[in-house]
Amino acid sequence: MTTPTTPPSRNAVTDQVDSSTSRRGYVCVTFDFDALSSWMARGMLTATPRSRGEFAAVAVPRLLHILETRGITATWFVPGHTALTYPELTRELMERGHEVAVHGHAHENVAALEPAEERAVLQRSLDALKEVTGTLPRGFRAPAWDLSDASVDLLVEHGLAYDSSLMGHDYAPYPCRTPDSLDDSGVRWGEPAGLLEIPVAWSLDDFPYLEFLRTPSGLMPGLRDPAEMFANWTADLDYMVRDFEDGVLTVTMHPEVIGRGHRLLALEHWLDEVASRGIEFVTCEQIADLVSSGAELGQYRPV
Ligand SMILES: [Zn+2]
């Protein structure tokens, strides 16, 4: 790992955190390599949206270089369609030490599918990744971060070790449950289902901060200063380090979003800032292995 150069903090809350009280924690850097699949899922199939997806493949080598020069391994959630479109790039992710996990086939919203359709889509995506990489992924992330009531059992049945789509915590991986049952009398929680959840959040995703999107259903302005996004992520990290033991912060980026010059420079600063706090970068797969070996991650123990 290169020696990090720490830029001045851009966040007043962050400045108040005393690094002498820091406790160990982890950051999972994850990328959703949607490429053309997310534009397909939106029905945006004209040349320009297709080219926005195509840019993802332009950006991946830049991200690999940034990660490699810092000794960071990331988790790449790859739709089956992306793997079949960019097989060499998908293989390169693994060859350079990163984890490849699955992210639907053509970025389907699985929560909108019938159970038989969802099963077929999952199988097709797993087949595509196996064909391209030679191995089956251990992790799943739902496109658009929405699971159906059938998803958890389906993922367990197909041998997945973890999901990374839910938002029930910010710093602690937790067991996925069989479907909860809720009505106006309250909620009857499901049972642990043998699948780990590595939770995500829209506030820890580059897409809503940075991507400009006009669709028939509305406008997402995006195009914010990436320093603002990363300052928020740093503050989330500093709160975790102060008040949690062995917390896990999982951030999500998209090559076609983060892969532009000013954002890549901001990403480099952020990665170096995280490293300067003694935080360990790990893949989601490593988190799953830590939990299965008995580690209790993300314990709330405020000072
Ligand atoms: Zn996606």
Side-chain angles (χ1 to χ4, degrees), residues 1-5 7 29 62-73 98 264-275 279 281:
M1 187 177 295
T2 55
T3 304
T5 51
V29 175
R62 303 173 185 182
L63 293 164
L64 288 175
H65 175 72
I66 287 170
L67 296 170
E68 194 158 290
T69 54
R70 289 163 174 78
I72 296 170
T73 49
H98 300 280
L264 290 172
L265 290 176
L267 171 63
E268 290 177 342
H269 280 302
W270 186 71
L271 293 172
D272 293 341
E273 198 163 313
V274 173
I279 297 294
F281 292 100

Side-chain angles (χ1 to χ4, degrees), residues 48-175:
T48 297
R50 291 203 308 270
S51 72
R52 287 175 78 168
E54 191 181 335
F55 179 69
V58 174
V60 167
R62 303 173 185 182
L63 293 164
L64 288 175
H65 175 72
I66 287 170
L67 296 170
E68 194 158 290
T69 54
R70 289 163 174 78
I72 296 170
T73 49
T75 298
W76 297 74
F77 290 92
V78 182
H81 184 274
T82 298
L84 295 175
T85 306
Y86 299 106
E88 289 178 13
L89 205 47
T90 301
R91 277 191 291 274
E92 187 178 352
L93 299 175
M94 295 191 80
E95 287 161 6
R96 292 171 74 159
H98 300 280
E99 178 192 2
V100 171
V102 68
H103 187 47
H105 187 73
H107 217 269
E108 303 84 358
N109 179 357
V110 298
L113 299 179
E114 293 297 323
E117 293 176 309
E118 183 179 0
R119 175 179 292 275
V121 163
L122 178 63
Q123 191 61 58
R124 192 172 182 202
S125 62
L126 293 173
D127 289 346
L129 287 196
K130 180 83 189 295
E131 177 185 328
V132 169
T133 68
T135 59
L136 283 168
R138 296 182 64 202
F140 173 83
R141 173 171 285 165
W145 283 345
D146 204 357
L147 296 178
S148 78
D149 276 351
S151 298
V152 169
D153 283 345
L154 201 54
L155 296 172
V156 172
E157 180 189 324
H158 285 78
L160 278 295
Y162 71 87
D163 170 70
S164 183
S165 316
L166 301 177
M167 306 182 186
H169 209 289
D170 43 5
Y171 303 127
Y174 62 93

